[in-house]
Amino acid sequence: MKKPSLSSLVLATLAYSDVFQYPLTEQELHQRLIGFFPEVNLKKINQTAKQIPQMTKIEQFWTLKGREQVVLIRQDREHISNFKLAELDTLISRLKKIATISSVYVTGSLAMQNVRSLADDIDLLIVTKPGTLWLTRVVVVLWTSLIGKYRLHGSSGEWGWCFNLWLDQNHLQVPKEDRSVYTAYEVVQAQLMLGTQNELLSANQWVNEYINYPVKAEKSKDYETRMKGNGEILNLKILSSFILLLVVVVELVSYLAQRLYMQPKRSREKVGRGFAFFHPRDTKNLILKKWQQKLEELGMSKTEREGLVQLFEEGCQLNRKFLDHQILEK
């Protein structure tokens, strides 16, 4: 199977973002490049982009020819997104007071400042201390429901806060079977709103097998060590054995009660003791299909598209030698 050239990778990267009506700056094009090529600098990316007939540059943004309108769309959505981010001040100030919460991230369109409407819901990822996820979720859901901001199952979600991703610190790393360009982008795009370190990014350095984002610059904070030791529930040094036992029991009851409540409504959701993914849609495959259609419209051959899809699904680690050699030839 023919592997894609650097020009194909640059075009494919821009085409992927165009699925979301999101033109890219030169730096974004470099960091979001499908595949991991730290030796390819901004100058090389810019030179390559200028030679691609399907691409054009408007102000600081690269976009596909015939899709120049997405530059204005991005600028308008950034303005809307700034209002939406300001809305989270109340939420973050409350979540700071919950000792079991380690960090909070905005995900989805707002993380990229690509919100379509002020009425759009806000997608959030909550990271908790080990062994406290379901107890924490009870507290967060009850409070946000009382103030009318919690997005209920099956609702339109307008103006709501959607807590669709929950992880404890022992489950930050995306499983191998779920890794792809799509999930790599989701990890690097998540915007840290509460916490001292982007522990999500630190735990997922595998994204460099899929995209060019400089994850190695992030300092890893004992994720592997914590995994080997199974982590701690809060800080055991300051908890009495009675309080610890109480936390464990309440956490287990909270987990079982919520699993029982969700059971009749479950579809594609994945839930466990240390994780909860509330995603009713198969978003990854929907995006992949749209991306493939766009690549075909751009005139890419079937073999080029197949090579790109292979990178999308498997990453570039297995194809490292071939791709390095091909880029050096360009």
Side-chain angles (χ1 to χ4, degrees):
M1 181 182 293
K2 182 181 177 181
K3 299 303 187 293
S5 63
L6 179 59
S7 58
S8 293
L9 291 170
V10 170
L11 181 58
T13 300
L14 187 61
Y16 185 91
S17 289
D18 189 70
V19 172
F20 302 91
Q21 296 183 301
Y22 196 82
L24 300 174
T25 65
E26 181 180 302
Q27 184 174 10
E28 289 168 343
L29 190 57
H30 179 249
Q31 292 186 343
R32 296 172 67 88
L33 181 67
I34 296 173
F36 182 54
F37 308 107
E39 69 279 9
V40 178
N41 56 29
L42 284 173
K43 182 178 179 181
K44 180 67 173 179
I45 290 291
N46 207 38
Q47 289 174 343
T48 303
K50 288 178 179 178
Q51 296 171 1
I52 299 174
Q54 299 98 320
M55 291 174 56
T56 187
K57 195 171 187 181
I58 300 178
E59 299 177 11
Q60 75 269 36
F61 296 109
W62 280 105
T63 185
L64 298 176
K65 284 187 177 178
R67 296 281 294 166
E68 290 84 355
Q69 72 273 18
V70 298
V71 172
L72 288 177
I73 291 174
R74 173 170 174 173
Q75 292 169 338
D76 288 343
R77 289 180 180 177
E78 283 181 355
H79 184 65
I80 296 171
S81 298
N82 288 332
F83 280 100
K84 296 295 289 183
L85 284 171
E87 180 188 326
L88 288 175
D89 289 346
T90 300
L91 172 65
I92 299 304
S93 65
R94 290 297 184 97
L95 295 184
K96 282 181 180 178
K97 300 176 182 178
I98 302 176
T100 56
I101 292 179
S102 174
S103 54
V104 179
Y105 300 80
V106 169
T107 64
S109 58
L110 183 55
M112 293 300 294
Q113 292 192 299
N114 198 34
V115 172
R116 295 170 180 265
S117 165
L118 283 173
D120 285 1
D121 65 342
I122 297 175
D123 295 323
L124 294 151
L125 161 62
I126 307 291
V127 178
T128 72
K129 301 294 178 63
T132 65
L133 188 154
W134 296 95
L135 171 59
T136 305
R137 186 172 183 269
V138 168
V139 175
V140 173
V141 169
L142 284 177
W143 173 66
T144 52
S145 296
L146 286 173
I147 65 172
K149 297 298 292 185
Y150 180 70
R151 176 180 172 179
L152 296 172
H153 179 83
S155 69
S156 64
E158 290 190 350
W159 300 99
W161 296 336
C162 184
F163 302 95
N164 55 3
L165 289 171
W166 294 81
L167 299 170
D168 74 15
Q169 288 180 306
N170 287 346
H171 293 82
L172 286 167
Q173 196 171 81
V174 177
K176 289 184 179 180
E177 62 271 18
D178 294 327
R179 296 175 187 177
S180 67
V181 167
Y182 174 80
T183 48
Y185 279 147
E186 290 294 295
V187 168
V188 303
Q189 288 170 182
Q191 184 174 339
L192 182 66
M193 301 298 293
L194 174 61
T196 58
Q197 176 195 339
N198 192 332
E199 54 188 336
L200 177 67
L201 192 56
S202 296
N204 288 282
Q205 295 191 8
W206 60 265
V207 302
N208 279 161
E209 297 172 19
Y210 295 85
I211 60 175
N212 208 43
Y213 195 88
V215 180
K216 298 299 181 183
E218 288 288 329
K219 293 182 179 179
S220 180
K221 188 180 180 182
D222 71 354
Y223 178 75
E224 297 298 332
T225 303
R226 185 169 59 243
M227 285 297 292
K228 290 177 182 178
N230 294 321
E232 295 180 342
I233 300 174
L234 302 180
N235 187 338
L236 302 186
K237 294 180 180 179
I238 62 173
L239 284 177
S240 70
S241 57
F242 173 76
I243 295 176
L244 174 59
L245 178 61
L246 181 62
V247 171
V248 171
V249 171
V250 174
E251 167 68 11
L252 179 58
V253 171
S254 299
Y255 170 65
L256 294 175
Q258 290 175 74
R259 282 292 300 262
L260 184 63
Y261 174 78
M262 290 185 292
Q263 193 60 38
K265 305 174 183 179
R266 285 187 63 183
S267 54
R268 300 185 58 87
E269 294 87 350
K270 293 182 181 180
V271 295
R273 289 297 301 274
F275 61 90
F277 298 86
F278 299 112
H279 282 305
R281 298 177 64 201
D282 187 10
T283 307
K284 188 200 90 167
N285 286 325
L286 288 172
I287 298 302
L288 177 57
K289 184 177 180 180
K290 290 180 179 180
W291 182 56
Q292 288 177 279
Q293 291 173 343
K294 196 169 288 290
L295 294 178
E296 186 174 4
E297 292 169 1
L298 289 169
M300 284 196 181
S301 66
K302 182 179 178 180
T303 53
E304 283 181 307
R305 297 198 307 273
E306 287 174 348
L308 287 165
V309 171
Q310 184 180 11
L311 282 174
F312 183 97
E313 296 285 8
E314 301 174 15
C316 66
Q317 192 171 33
L318 296 177
N319 304 311
R320 180 80 262 171
K321 291 182 180 179
F322 184 95
L323 289 168
D324 279 346
H325 175 70
Q326 191 170 38
I327 282 181
L328 289 174
E329 288 182 337
K330 288 291 177 180

